[in-house]
Every structure is written in structure tokens, then in C-alpha cells.
Amino acid sequence: MGITYEAAWFLFHRLRTAAGDPFPAPLGGKNKVIEADETYIGGKEANKHASKRKHAGRGPVGKMAVFSLVERDGETRSLHVANVTAATLRPIMVTHAFRSSYLMTDDAAVYPKIGDEFAGHSTVVHSAEEYVKDGGFSHTNTVESHFALLKRGVFGTFHSISEAHLHLYLNEFDFRANTRHLSDAERAAALLASAKGKRLLYRQPN
């Protein structure tokens, strides 16, 4: 387009803002399976000023935690969270997923009590190299595949992203996942339609 890098960055962030749904419907429902998991985005631990960051719950210090819910054969919802604890994740899970859903997670200690609130809860024990059980029903491969695409985009294309803008990149990759069944033209039309009614500002004016 013959514009500066800064202008292109600004335009892409406006599109990522458009891709986000401010009032998303809960995922799952009766006889639906939702996979939940977390991952961590950031550079090599040796290069992080970890001592300057407070940390609580599961995960490495100095990295940004991302929590995702994926409905099998349905939509994906990803959020940046301050830390991975039951107190942090429970409000997200009960807001973004119907508790009539069947929950699928790994064996992290943050999930069992939350799982009791859902119609059912199965786990796979990754620490014991268990990744699939119950004839292929119990696994978190869907949400982990989403994380693989996210990290490939970060490391291969964006290289480095700031915590202030992480939620916008999550918007983008959720939108890609949720429109995977569309053609490029249909996806572009859906993205432009989602901009309706939004003021795509860098920041709110004082």
C-alpha cells in the first residue's frame, strides 16, 4: 500500500479490534464438549526480567499466560489472564461456557473443583505421557492445536508482541479459527461486517 510500518501496524490492530466480539455467546451446551487449557507466550526465560514481574499460580515466571476454551467442532475463545489459578479461571469458564457442557482438561490442580460445576469432567495426565484415552474421547488435542498455530504466528511472523496488545492478537487467531470454514472472500466480508458500530481507536480520547 506504500505506507509506513507504523501505519500498517495501526491498520492491522484496527482489524484485530474488529475481529473481537464484545458480547460473545457462551460456548458448548448439552452434549457438547469443551476443551480448556493454558499456554504461555514470551521470549526465552534467560532474556526475561522475571524479577520485575509478580507471579502466582501455574506457569513460568516472566511469560504471558493465555487461557483458551475450544468447543469441539465449534468456536474458540482465548483470553490473556494475569495468572493461572482456580480463582482466576473459574469466572471466565462459567461466563464463557455453559455448565451443561462436558469439560475436558489436563490434570492441572486448578481444574477439578471447577470441573465439578460442569455436566462432566475428564482429564488426561500429560505428566505421565497420557494424551488420549477413553477410545479417543478424552484429550485436549484441539485446544493444543490452536496454541500451536498461535505460537507459530507469534514466533514466525510477529516475533515479539507486547502484553498491552496481546488480546488483539488473540482476537485475530480466534477469528481465524472461528471462520476456518469460510472462503477468503467470505472471511474478509465477515471481518468488515464485524467492524460495524465500533470506533476503532488506538486509545480513547481524554
Side-chain angles (χ1 to χ4, degrees), residues 99-149:
R99 278 177 271 192
S100 55
S101 311
Y102 197 95
L103 182 64
M104 201 73 62
T105 69
D106 61 19
D107 60 324
V110 298
Y111 294 119
K113 188 171 288 187
I114 303 172
D116 289 342
E117 300 187 46
F118 285 79
H121 179 208
S122 288
T123 63
V124 284
V125 185
H126 289 169
S127 59
E129 298 188 357
E130 178 184 68
Y131 298 98
V132 180
K133 67 179 184 181
D134 301 327
F137 176 73
S138 296
H139 64 79
T140 57
N141 294 340
T142 315
V143 64
E144 287 169 12
S145 294
H146 180 69
F147 288 151
L149 292 172

Side-chain angles (χ1 to χ4, degrees), residues 15 18-20 175 178-196 198:
L15 292 173
F175 180 82
N178 297 338
T179 57
R180 61 192 179 278
H181 58 287
L182 301 180
S183 67
D184 287 346
E186 291 170 332
R187 177 180 282 179
L191 179 59
L192 292 176
S194 69
K196 184 177 181 180
K198 297 177 181 176

